[in-house]
Amino acid sequence: MVSEERYPADLKVTAEHFAKSGWKQAIDGARREGYSAMWSALSGAARQAMADEKLAEGKVLWLLADACSMTLRPERSNNPFDPFFVMEGRRSGLPEDFAEEDIAFFAEIVEQADDAWLRGRLADLVWLCSKPRDPKYALIAIDAYRELELDTETWIRGGRECWERAIRLALMLRDGSGVRLAEMRDTLLAAFNGTTVDDGYLGLWLADLLEDHRLVSDHPNEVAGHLERLAKDFDAADDLHRCRDYFNRAVRWFKKAGDEAKAAENTIAEAEGWVKEARARVSGESPSHMAAATFYENAIQVYRTIPRSERAVYCVEERLDELRRCLSDAGERSIGEMGEVRSPGVDISELVENSRKAVRGKSPVEALKALCNLHAGYNIGSARENALERIRQHPIQSLFPAAVMSPDGRVIAKRPGASLSAGDSGDDEVVVRTELIRDYGLWVGIVVQGDIWPGLETLRLEHRLHEADFVNLCGQSPIVPKDRARLFGKALFAGYEGDFVAAIHLLTPQIEHMVRHHLKIAGVKTTSLDKNGIEHEIGLSSLIEIPEVKKIFGEDLAFEFDALLCNSFGPNLRNEIAHGLLDDQSCESIYAIYAWWLGLRLTFNTFWNAIHRESQDSEEGGES
């Protein structure tokens, strides 16, 4: 709570002290900035008055400053104020901080305060804190709040909250507020009808306030028409963000009016705003096909909200086909923006098309199954044979030591030169392992670009899955520890939504826990004891080296865990995440996408195998 001792506790102040305090000069120029600026100005004036030994005037200014030092939350009718700040056990003021004599002082001076901001706040506090409540002060607050100008600057500085508070007070008083609610409706509607593109979002904000309180339910066409006109004006001005938002609101109001045809027209206009944004993002100085793909997808989703009864009139299905082709093209071009992958040129167009065909036109579960099995996974046996053959054919590059450097110039891994001797050599195995991981990185790039990304795009385009679907999937998958189903599910859903930053940060530690969990079930000790007798869990990099990992997860998957998550010659995602070394681009790289897909594949396939095994067992039991 407020703890500063600023004036003598027994100091009495009156309306005369208020008149002499210089409050008006203190807030001159600050009121347009809203209550926070008034709080700052009044508290500064209060300190100066106390320094000048004008104690009564100083207390007046402190009380006024405290009255302004609250955030208005108009949606809470009976508890509408929060402190502006809370820090280290201290906070700015709240209504309960005022003594009864302070509230009585506010009641005495409220009608003398000829500033609408201050008069509204003082009257509101008197209404809230007086016992019993006197409706007179609620009416004063309503009249003061609705004096505030309906312009963009005032609105964003707190005018919106004040106008909504006035409406809610009038609704609370019902007939006791007289004609004030109707007058506020007329004032708001007139201000709304007078808005232009120069007012920015003000027209939309006013329409929202009218809608939230059902103040113009009998005139929806009037509001919808003006929103549509403003949207077209913003479109002409190339203000695509506001253009789309205004068309979106116009759709809602035309639907209120029962005009489905106009609602469809404005929906189309909103969708085409996303198309314009997509085209703009690929034609500017820094083109981004990844952003364009997102905008095309948004356009498709908006088009799909048009009722089927209206689609034929506007050739919606034909337009959707065009936009899907644009989305596919942008998606293919965006692959190169996700992270740098250098490899010999490979034509993957056939892979891309096969991936889309595999997922397209299926039910959600079958489409998810197809996505998870677009590729059978990495085969470490054949990969090792290929790496050894290449080393034998081209031995020179393997004879010299090599180092791996991080983007900031640190050496993070070293590889010795190969001896290529007849006997086994530890150094030779490191060389082979390094080659395997390099090959794996190239392979991941092809799989992501040719299989996973096109398949995921198709899945997202045809089906809208929810977080609960993925959580439920993880809850039924035997590979996911039961107490981690929600975290696994949230990670998989984030990747499905395209948020690989969240997906990789959630999923990586859960994969580590999954490995540890199944090792413990197999009776493997996953902890170590230090010299002080403290037992620590072993990290994933060390867990992967335990022989039982290959027995439980198979040699191929054990290698993928190492190459993808733990090895410094690879993306090393687990350790990069643990130490906060991944930037946003790395979080959206092909490796992050593949790690997400690998987690999804493990989860879905073990779930699928489990339920079909149960089904098969039931059938066999019935036959016997």
Side-chain angles (χ1 to χ4, degrees):
M1 60 184 298
V2 180
S3 60
E4 187 178 355
E5 186 71 29
R6 298 169 299 186
Y7 44 78
D10 58 351
L11 181 62
K12 305 295 182 183
V13 291
T14 65
E16 183 179 354
H17 296 127
F18 171 70
K20 294 166 55 180
S21 66
W23 66 270
K24 188 176 293 187
Q25 292 82 358
I27 65 172
D28 186 36
R31 62 176 65 87
R32 287 287 293 181
E33 300 295 317
Y35 286 113
S36 61
M38 293 171 63
W39 171 34
S40 178
L42 287 166
S43 58
R47 291 188 184 91
Q48 185 59 51
M50 301 306 286
D52 295 339
E53 298 185 354
K54 297 178 180 179
L55 301 187
E57 289 80 358
K59 179 177 179 178
V60 168
L61 293 168
W62 273 123
L63 289 174
L64 299 180
D66 289 343
C68 294
S69 71
M70 292 173 275
T71 299
L72 179 59
R73 306 292 187 194
E75 67 277 6
R76 303 195 314 236
S77 297
N78 291 304
N79 184 28
F81 292 111
D82 279 341
F84 265 124
F85 79 88
V86 178
M87 184 173 60
E88 296 180 353
R90 300 178 67 250
R91 60 166 170 77
S92 55
L94 282 175
E96 55 263 34
D97 295 331
F98 294 104
E100 288 186 17
E101 63 184 38
D102 299 331
I103 299 301
F105 170 67
F106 289 159
E108 180 184 0
I109 66 170
V110 66
E111 295 182 82
Q112 298 178 31
D114 54 354
D115 175 81
W117 291 91
L118 185 62
R119 187 169 68 258
R121 177 57 59 90
L122 296 180
D124 210 342
L125 287 170
V126 175
W127 157 253
L128 283 170
C129 298
S130 296
K131 296 181 181 179
R133 289 182 174 178
D134 187 344
K136 166 188 173 181
Y137 296 101
L139 296 175
I140 293 174
I142 293 171
D143 291 339
Y145 286 144
R146 65 190 180 124
E147 282 183 32
L148 300 183
E149 295 179 18
L150 290 171
D151 58 51
T152 303
E153 184 178 355
T154 304
W155 196 260
I156 63 177
R157 299 295 186 183
R160 185 209 187 285
E161 289 76 15
C162 292
W163 270 91
E164 182 171 356
R165 176 64 174 163
I167 291 170
R168 289 184 180 274
L169 285 172
L171 290 170
M172 188 183 300
L173 295 177
R174 298 183 180 179
D175 294 341
S177 66
V179 297
R180 287 175 173 81
L181 189 61
E183 290 174 348
M184 285 189 283
R185 177 200 60 204
D186 294 342
T187 301
L188 288 167
L189 191 56
F192 167 76
N193 287 328
T195 53
T196 68
V197 292
D198 294 333
D199 296 309
Y201 276 112
L202 181 62
L204 187 145
W205 295 332
L206 292 171
D208 284 351
L209 186 61
L210 292 166
E211 180 184 17
D212 290 344
H213 297 284
R214 301 181 178 87
L215 295 182
V216 286
S217 56
D218 52 342
H219 301 291
N221 265 318
E222 179 182 348
V223 177
H226 188 57
L227 288 169
E228 183 183 32
R229 288 190 292 275
L230 286 171
K232 291 178 178 178
D233 290 342
F234 282 117
D235 189 17
D238 288 328
D239 190 336
L240 298 178
H241 294 282
R242 291 190 176 102
C243 161
R244 289 195 304 267
D245 290 339
Y246 272 89
F247 276 128
N248 177 272
R249 292 301 196 282
V251 170
R252 284 181 8 197
W253 282 90
F254 277 122
K255 286 183 177 180
K256 288 177 184 294
D259 193 337
E260 291 295 334
K262 290 295 291 183
E265 288 179 14
N266 281 265
T267 301
I268 292 170
E270 179 191 354
E272 291 302 320
W274 284 113
V275 175
K276 289 180 181 179
E277 185 88 5
R279 291 171 177 166
R281 289 306 302 269
V282 298
S283 60
E285 294 182 0
S286 302
S288 173
H289 293 283
M290 187 182 299
T294 300
F295 296 145
Y296 280 127
E297 183 178 351
N298 290 341
I300 290 170
Q301 297 302 338
V302 173
Y303 262 114
R304 290 170 72 175
T305 64
I306 297 176
R308 294 197 175 274
S309 59
E310 300 290 334
R311 292 190 179 187
V313 178
Y314 301 101
C315 302
V316 171
E317 296 300 335
E318 292 83 351
R319 184 56 172 156
L320 281 171
D321 289 339
E322 294 174 1
L323 292 177
R324 290 187 183 104
R325 288 193 291 272
C326 293
L327 174 61
S328 296
D329 180 67
E332 290 176 7
R333 294 172 181 268
S334 71
I335 295 297
E337 299 171 0
M338 294 183 186
E340 185 176 1
V341 179
R342 297 185 181 274
S343 63
V346 177
D347 184 2
I348 62 170
S349 56
E350 187 175 350
L351 288 176
V352 170
E353 187 55 32
N354 288 340
S355 172
R356 290 174 179 153
K357 287 180 180 178
V359 178
R360 186 182 298 140
K362 292 181 168 61
S363 68
V365 173
E366 289 293 334
L368 200 57
K369 177 187 173 187
L371 174 64
C372 293
N373 293 281
L374 289 170
H375 200 281
Y378 200 67
N379 187 315
I380 185 62
S382 61
R384 174 178 285 275
E385 291 178 7
N386 293 335
L388 289 171
E389 180 62 25
R390 187 171 59 253
I391 291 172
R392 283 193 292 267
Q393 291 182 2
H394 308 283
I396 295 179
Q397 63 180 359
S398 303
L399 295 176
F400 302 98
V404 177
M405 300 184 72
S406 67
D408 61 359
R410 293 177 296 110
V411 175
I412 57 176
K414 289 185 177 182
R415 188 211 73 189
S419 65
L420 301 181
S421 59
D424 292 335
S425 167
D427 287 348
D428 288 353
E429 177 56 28
V430 173
V431 171
V432 173
R433 191 77 172 179
T434 304
E435 282 296 297
L436 285 171
I437 292 173
R438 187 189 72 88
D439 292 348
Y440 178 76
L442 298 175
W443 176 86
V444 165
I446 294 172
V447 170
V448 170
Q449 297 177 61
D451 293 321
I452 297 172
W453 189 252
L456 176 59
E457 281 188 324
T458 305
L459 177 70
R460 292 175 62 190
L461 189 62
E462 296 189 355
H463 303 289
R464 299 309 301 165
L465 303 179
H466 303 281
E467 182 180 297
D469 299 325
F470 289 90
V471 173
N472 186 46
L473 167 66
C474 294
Q476 298 184 61
S477 174
I479 203 170
V480 177
K482 295 304 179 186
D483 62 338
R484 301 301 175 94
R486 184 166 179 267
L487 287 173
F488 252 90
K490 290 178 77 70
L492 297 180
F493 176 71
Y496 163 78
E497 285 285 87
D499 185 2
F500 293 103
V501 175
I504 197 66
H505 279 81
L506 279 171
L507 186 61
T508 301
Q510 296 312 313
I511 289 177
E512 177 171 345
H513 176 75
M514 178 192 71
V515 172
R516 183 178 293 113
H517 171 81
H518 288 286
L519 284 171
K520 286 182 177 180
I521 290 177
V524 178
K525 184 176 177 59
T526 63
T527 60
S528 63
L529 203 65
D530 68 14
K531 62 181 181 180
N532 297 316
I534 298 174
E535 194 171 17
H536 300 276
E537 288 287 356
I538 299 172
L540 184 61
S541 300
S542 299
L543 291 175
I544 291 299
E545 297 176 0
I546 297 175
E548 283 81 2
V549 169
K550 292 181 181 179
K551 295 180 182 178
I552 296 171
F553 295 98
E555 187 175 5
D556 294 336
L557 189 55
F559 172 81
E560 290 207 67
F561 284 155
D562 178 46
L564 189 65
L565 301 175
C566 304
N567 201 294
S568 296
F569 287 98
N572 199 15
L573 292 177
R574 184 270 181 193
N575 297 309
E576 294 286 298
I577 289 172
H579 298 295
L581 298 176
L582 284 188
D583 57 20
D584 56 351
Q585 185 177 5
S586 299
C587 289
E588 296 175 343
S589 68
I590 56 171
Y591 302 111
I593 296 171
Y594 183 83
W596 168 81
W597 176 82
L598 183 62
L600 178 65
R601 183 171 185 268
L602 284 171
T603 303
F604 184 91
N605 284 350
T606 51
F607 151 78
W608 184 268
N609 293 337
I611 62 172
H612 283 76
R613 187 182 304 115
E614 292 172 0
S615 176
Q616 183 178 5
D617 291 344
S618 298
E619 291 175 2
E620 292 174 355
E623 291 173 358
S624 63

